[in-house]
Amino acid sequence: MTQVGEGHETAADEAGPVLTFGAPSAGEILAERYQLEQHVNNDSAGRQVWRGIDVVLRRPVAVVLRHPGGDSAAEMLQAAVAASRVLHPNLVGVYDAIDEQQRAYVVREWVDGESLRDLIAAEGPLDPSRAITIARSVADALTSVHATGMIHGNVHPGTTLIGDDGRVVLADARADEADSVEADIRAVGGILYFALTGRWPHAEVGSSALPDATRDSAGNPAAPRQVRAGVPAYLDDLTMDLLDRRVAPPAAEALTSELGRLDSATEDEEFEDVGPLRFVQGGGGSAEPTRSARKILIGVGALVVIAIIGLVFGINAINNSSKPTASASTPAGTDAGAQPGADGDPSAAPQGDPVKIPLTADMVRIVDPPKGGRGDTGKSQYVVDGDKNTAWEMSYYKQPNFGGLKDGMGVLIHLPKARTLASVSVDVSTPGAAIDIRTGTTDPGDTSNGDKQIVKTYTKLSDADTEANPGTKVNLSGFDPDKQYQYVLVFLTKLPPNEDGQGFKVNVNEIELYGY
């Protein structure tokens, strides 16, 4: 989605229009108006991005072409038409959208500058103040987009353009039914994370060719302050709140206001005198910023402990009794040696970091919907044996979508009892597999009909279309912290090319489940 280049510096071709069809060429004029000057690059969807000039208005333009046009280009053209209705200084202006059937193209504003992706590649992570300024501009653009009822759907370092004049603009909206306002807001957290660390958190904001976030053994992304020095605590907290699906996101307008407040603080070099906005559940954007939520909680906890100690000593003094009383740190009637929640009690609310849940062979099975031979039955034991040298070795298929025979295959995890979950980590043999998590309330049986019911009735944790993962370590999240789960399906919907170039195949080495 990147538009790079030095901008228009030469006049239009004096030889006149060269009207052709098919592959574009320098000097060609499209729609008798837009002359192509230089092929800049191809985007991730295979579309060509050209620098050109509007020969009528004599202004530089960017032209995004795809082959063919017609129905296959409908989504691109519809997104361009919708984007043209929103005018904002932080949005790339869209001028035209044309379908010639053989090809289709969108004409938009040319920005002299480079993408955030290319800027980080050249200069490395940015200083906090510049990261805040860029994120604020993106959030402000989304405020305008969301106000019209639209969704951008493509907030990414490659679509965030930094002009030579310092202007930050968001380009190439392409939302579909699977995108959401929440995904746009989470992606602003991704922009902050990328600007501060040079990495893009795949599981939290979408797969990308960019390097994934550094993660701990539970699959959680390392906070920016853990990756590099000099990131203020408030900015670190804000970034991680935006990426944490357990924290409801704010409205774009509230996020813009918060980033503006932080931007002003950086100008005055008062980095530690502001606190992050701790978003309230519901994401209404009405939460008031606090100086430090953690400090307040610690202070309240200390006061409670002091009060309990005072009460205990007061009772002892009055009664002058030798009978044992409740200690300051242990409520009366509680076993002092017990650790609440340590036995996996599903009624306990999530506390602390998620832990790995032990899985055994009798807790997993292969799900192979109808039209599958069910020849993989019994191989699920290899994905929970703790040995990455053993694996569920899948069969070859002629096409990545399991040869069109079925929606996919997966591993069903059946926990002894429902509990609060955090994430699933999947280790596969080859990059490029598309994997999602689905949940249900029962296992209808290890049969073809049972597997059919599972695929039909289980619910995906994310409404977004699953994309191929660029790595062999896939971390999946999206569990609701207020819900408990007993049946979890790790489902593969697309296979990567086999390592020997013959067909499509992947091996699942290990599956790990994390919860509280």
Side-chain angles (χ1 to χ4, degrees):
M1 308 308 162
T2 302
Q3 172 219 294
V4 295
E6 297 300 323
H8 176 69
E9 294 182 349
T10 59
D13 185 2
E14 297 180 356
V18 181
L19 301 178
T20 61
F21 295 94
S25 59
E28 178 181 354
I29 293 185
L30 307 179
E32 301 183 354
R33 179 167 184 172
Y34 307 110
Q35 177 163 310
L36 302 179
E37 294 192 321
Q38 180 185 6
H39 178 212
V40 177
N41 68 300
N42 294 344
D43 69 13
S44 60
R47 304 177 301 180
Q48 291 189 9
V49 181
W50 284 73
R51 176 171 59 85
I53 185 171
D54 182 337
V55 298
V56 175
L57 297 180
R58 311 300 297 175
R59 66 180 174 184
V61 294
V63 183
V64 183
L65 299 103
R66 65 153 291 146
H67 300 267
D71 292 341
S72 63
E75 181 180 328
M76 179 187 80
L77 297 172
Q78 289 169 1
V81 171
S84 69
R85 299 169 183 161
V86 184
L87 302 178
H88 191 277
N90 296 121
L91 284 173
V92 166
V94 177
Y95 303 146
D96 214 340
I98 299 173
D99 183 8
E100 294 180 348
Q101 296 302 313
Q102 295 93 340
R103 63 187 176 185
Y105 44 92
V106 172
V107 183
R108 60 169 170 79
E109 175 186 4
W110 175 267
V111 179
D112 287 322
E114 60 187 336
S115 69
L116 177 62
R117 176 179 61 191
D118 293 341
L119 177 63
I120 297 295
E123 300 182 8
L126 307 180
D127 63 79
S129 61
R130 193 174 187 191
I132 291 172
T133 299
I134 291 172
R136 178 190 182 186
S137 298
V138 173
D140 200 16
L142 291 177
T143 298
S144 181
V145 171
H146 293 173
T148 66
M150 291 171 50
I151 296 168
H152 189 276
N154 196 24
V155 180
H156 183 273
T159 60
T160 302
L161 308 181
I162 317 297
D164 292 340
D165 58 359
R167 176 178 169 228
V168 178
V169 289
L170 188 58
D172 295 330
R174 60 174 190 183
D176 57 31
E177 295 180 357
D179 292 307
S180 65
V181 169
E182 177 178 344
D184 277 354
I185 299 299
R186 300 284 184 205
V188 178
I191 293 293
L192 273 172
Y193 194 95
F194 182 77
L196 293 169
T197 68
R199 292 178 173 271
W200 181 252
H202 293 184
E204 290 73 22
V205 290
S207 298
S208 169
L210 297 171
D212 190 18
T214 302
R215 298 183 181 274
D216 59 22
S217 59
N220 301 309
R225 296 187 85 187
Q226 296 174 305
V227 178
R228 57 173 288 200
V231 178
Y234 70 81
L235 182 57
D236 189 83
D237 287 344
L238 174 61
T239 302
M240 297 309 289
D241 277 353
L242 289 171
L243 298 179
D244 190 344
R245 296 183 185 276
R246 296 169 297 181
V247 179
E253 182 178 7
L255 180 57
T256 301
S257 177
E258 174 66 4
L259 288 166
R261 184 175 69 89
L262 302 185
D263 204 2
S264 297
T266 60
E267 291 177 1
D268 297 333
E269 297 185 352
E270 297 176 354
F271 294 110
E272 299 302 334
D273 290 337
V274 294
L277 174 67
R278 305 299 295 185
F279 308 126
V280 295
Q281 292 297 322
S286 60
E288 293 296 328
T290 61
R291 294 185 65 84
S292 176
R294 293 188 179 94
K295 292 180 180 179
I296 292 174
L297 291 175
I298 292 173
V300 171
L303 290 175
V304 171
V305 171
I306 292 172
I308 293 175
I309 293 174
L311 179 61
V312 170
F313 279 99
I315 292 174
N316 281 340
I318 293 173
N319 295 334
N320 193 24
S321 172
S322 60
K323 295 181 179 180
T325 61
S327 69
S329 59
T330 306
T334 302
D335 180 0
Q339 298 182 21
D343 61 350
D345 180 6
S347 64
Q351 296 182 3
D353 295 330
V355 298
K356 181 179 176 180
I357 299 173
L359 299 178
T360 56
D362 60 338
M363 296 165 61
V364 294
R365 74 172 183 85
I366 301 297
V367 170
D368 189 1
K371 295 187 179 180
R374 297 186 61 78
D376 291 27
T377 299
K379 296 181 180 179
S380 58
Q381 61 179 316
Y382 300 120
V383 304
V384 295
D385 61 1
D387 183 358
K388 294 185 179 180
N389 293 320
T390 62
W392 167 27
E393 298 186 3
M394 304 179 70
S395 302
Y396 291 88
Y397 291 87
K398 294 182 178 180
Q399 298 174 0
N401 62 340
F402 292 85
L405 299 174
K406 48 196 171 185
D407 294 332
M409 296 179 67
V411 175
L412 177 65
I413 302 173
H414 174 195
L415 297 175
K417 57 183 178 181
R419 62 187 296 171
T420 306
L421 302 178
S423 63
V424 175
S425 174
V426 186
D427 188 285
V428 293
S429 60
T430 309
I435 309 173
D436 61 60
I437 305 176
R438 308 182 183 198
T439 62
T441 58
T442 186
D443 179 1
D446 189 4
T447 63
S448 293
N449 287 334
D451 291 353
K452 179 181 179 180
Q453 287 300 312
I454 286 176
V455 175
K456 180 179 179 181
T457 62
Y458 273 39
T459 303
K460 289 174 61 174
L461 289 187
S462 172
D463 292 332
D465 290 336
T466 305
E467 297 183 3
N469 289 278
T472 58
K473 185 76 169 182
V474 182
N475 295 294
L476 306 168
S477 57
F479 292 101
D480 188 335
D482 296 325
K483 293 183 179 180
Q484 295 163 356
Y485 303 85
Q486 187 171 9
Y487 296 91
V488 177
L489 175 63
V490 179
F491 202 57
L492 289 83
T493 57
K494 182 179 179 181
L495 301 173
N498 191 40
E499 294 177 344
D500 62 8
Q502 301 296 317
F504 297 85
K505 176 184 178 182
V506 71
N507 296 334
V508 181
N509 301 324
E510 283 294 312
I511 294 178
E512 297 176 344
L513 181 63
Y514 294 85
Y516 301 90

